[in-house]
Amino acid sequence: MADSRPTKCLVIGAGPVGALAALYAARRGWDVEVYELRGDLRDESTTPLNFTKSINLALSERGINAMRQSGSNALLETVLLETVPMHGRMIHGKASPGLTEESQQYDVHGRYLRAVDRAILNKVLLDEVEALPNVKLHFNQKLTGADVRKRKAWFEEQSTRKPQTADGAQAHLAQDKSRSHEIEVEFDLILGCDGAHSSVRYHMMKSVRMNYEQNYIDTLWCEFTIPPVTPTSHTTPSARHGFATSPNHLHIWPQSDKMFIAIPSTDKSFTCTFFAPAADFTSLEKYPDGFLPFFQANFPGVADLVGHAELRKQFHDNPHLPLISIKCAPHHYGSAGVILGDAAHAMVPFYGQGMNAGLEDVRVLFEHLDAQPSNTQGRAKALEAYTAERVPDAHTINDLALANYWEMHAGVTSPLYLFRKKVEEFLSDKLPVTGFATQYSRVSFSNQRYSEVAKTVDRQGKILLGGMLGTVLLPVIGWAAWWVWRYRQTSHNPTYAAKGFANLTKLWESIGRVFS
């Protein structure tokens, strides 16, 4: 039996995931209130929590499908008009006599990603939400406490006034006095969409036996910008339509343990990200004279695209930020609380699935809610089913994102990796009855559960490896082993043979990595 009054839903966080969650809830007739720590995210003066534009977003099928099913007919069309298609990766390098570009398509069937500006996406979603009569948006509101057992939350308004006094102590006191008192809000359901350092998750853990794992990888990132083309701009051969390089690719300058990427924006600039071990950042900060040679040696052409002086300035001015990976379980408490997006599964950005997975969370959650009666008992069953489905999927894409760092900075130049990709694409295109598809296409261009993607790709790898062993690799390895044996028999240098066998072992390990 349904409750007679509308469900009172609090959404904490007004980013893309929170805004979409509010939209889904409001479309079901719920009484929705959205609380955001920052000011109105549509205001250009609002400072992001990490003090940067953040890594540009790649919108793929999962995020698109979540918006498609939001109940807002014009939403998806409006969002897609503000995106730039990316049909593949452009791998940048250097070879005689100059710089090189190599295009690698994402999908043999022509499917592609869409580059989208986070601020524009957020604005479109918030405008859609604000237009609904049963939604209230509250900005500059800090969640100071939440009790999912009593279904109550407490907020403190963050002052936006700047004290007009020169004395630091008096300014601090004036700021304290300008704060509003704490307010208490009751709810039926609280949705934590408030990011990796989620306050909802923190307070929910007081009532939930939640397993929690947080890791930082030994890689930092810094944002750069390639401006639109001007008459004096440096460009690459693929530059067109005012973009300094191809507007329809995700650009990668790969190295063994670092990379530089660039993603197009609708204003014809590129939002770029430099990823490298923390030691590289420390060295560049300590020895500024080596800054330009470092970039010219590792990322040929980047300094010219950004501008030599501008490259150094942006490195100095923009923050050097860590990459966090978070897993937790469960994602809910009873019928009263649930976490979505980065609050539940923050991941490194190397698969471009962070936002897409978060938007998919919203779709999956409300599919379970729709399948149950709209009362407390039904909601409890829905949240339990959501956790049961989403936890293994969240853990899987978290692991895949970590593994994809290797693909982006090393795999894109690995002959074995590229060979497997071509085989899987050939089978997908010419023999679709086999059901073969690349892992990337399954993750980015389908709505297959992440955990099922991993299982399917693992089976494919074993089949391909078995076939290659029988037709190609065993004869090659046998031939190589015979030559090592022959040399050993005719040579007085047995260490050569040992090295030969060691190299064969490394080859086998590389093959296993590509096909695992």
Side-chain angles (χ1 to χ4, degrees), residues 404-447:
N404 207 53
Y405 188 33
W406 175 85
E407 178 178 324
M408 288 188 72
H409 76 269
V412 291
T413 59
S414 164
L416 282 172
Y417 165 79
L418 296 174
F419 176 71
R420 174 176 177 172
K421 181 174 183 289
K422 288 185 179 297
V423 171
E424 289 178 326
E425 287 181 339
F426 174 83
L427 292 172
S428 176
D429 185 32
K430 305 302 182 184
L431 296 171
V433 69
T434 63
F436 269 71
T438 64
Q439 176 177 285
Y440 195 91
S441 67
R442 292 182 187 278
V443 168
S444 299
F445 306 122
S446 83
N447 293 290

Side-chain angles (χ1 to χ4, degrees), residues 35 73 201 290 312 315 411 417 446 453:
Y35 290 85
N73 296 330
R201 184 186 64 228
R312 188 188 299 271
F315 180 79
Y417 165 79
S446 83
V453 168

Side-chain angles (χ1 to χ4, degrees), residues 252-479:
I252 304 177
W253 285 259
Q255 287 296 328
S256 60
D257 62 346
K258 60 183 71 71
M259 67 177 176
F260 190 94
I261 69 171
I263 298 179
S265 300
T266 52
D267 65 359
K268 301 187 178 182
S269 68
F270 288 82
T271 298
C272 311
T273 313
F274 165 48
F275 298 97
D280 282 346
F281 277 83
T282 300
S283 177
L284 292 172
E285 292 165 354
K286 189 174 182 180
Y287 305 106
D289 289 345
F291 182 82
L292 189 58
F294 173 89
F295 268 80
Q296 289 174 329
N298 288 284
F299 313 120
V302 163
D304 291 335
L305 292 172
V306 177
H308 291 198
E310 191 63 26
L311 187 74
R312 188 188 299 271
K313 180 179 184 299
Q314 291 181 30
F315 180 79
H316 179 268
D317 292 347
N318 293 341
H320 305 160
L321 299 169
L323 292 171
I324 193 171
S325 175
I326 290 174
K327 295 179 181 178
C328 64
H331 290 175
H332 79 289
Y333 170 78
S335 64
V338 63
I339 50 177
L340 304 91
D342 283 356
H345 47 68
M347 66 191 74
V348 296
F350 304 122
Y351 227 124
Q353 285 294 301
M355 177 195 65
N356 290 286
L359 299 179
E360 187 177 57
D361 287 345
V362 177
R363 176 184 65 78
V364 173
L365 172 63
F366 280 88
E367 281 183 357
H368 285 293
L369 287 166
D370 290 342
Q372 299 292 339
S374 56
N375 54 32
T376 301
Q377 293 75 22
R379 195 161 55 246
K381 291 181 180 178
L383 298 192
E384 184 177 3
Y386 169 78
T387 281
E389 175 176 342
R390 210 58 187 155
V391 165
D393 289 344
H395 288 188
T396 297
I397 188 55
N398 200 298
D399 292 338
L400 291 177
L402 280 168
N404 207 53
Y405 188 33
W406 175 85
E407 178 178 324
M408 288 188 72
H409 76 269
V412 291
T413 59
S414 164
L416 282 172
Y417 165 79
L418 296 174
F419 176 71
R420 174 176 177 172
K421 181 174 183 289
K422 288 185 179 297
V423 171
E424 289 178 326
E425 287 181 339
F426 174 83
L427 292 172
S428 176
D429 185 32
K430 305 302 182 184
L431 296 171
V433 69
T434 63
F436 269 71
T438 64
Q439 176 177 285
Y440 195 91
S441 67
R442 292 182 187 278
V443 168
S444 299
F445 306 122
S446 83
N447 293 290
Q448 184 181 13
R449 289 183 58 183
Y450 291 122
S451 55
E452 291 299 321
V453 168
K455 293 175 184 176
T456 302
V457 171
D458 182 60
R459 288 195 298 269
Q460 284 183 188
K462 290 176 180 176
I463 293 170
L464 289 175
L465 182 57
M468 289 184 65
L469 282 174
T471 59
V472 179
L473 294 178
L474 281 181
V476 170
I477 291 174
W479 176 82

Side-chain angles (χ1 to χ4, degrees), residues 59 61 128 190 207 254 280 286 384 455:
L59 183 62
E61 168 57 23
E128 191 79 16
I190 187 169
S207 301
D280 282 346
K286 189 174 182 180
E384 184 177 3
K455 293 175 184 176

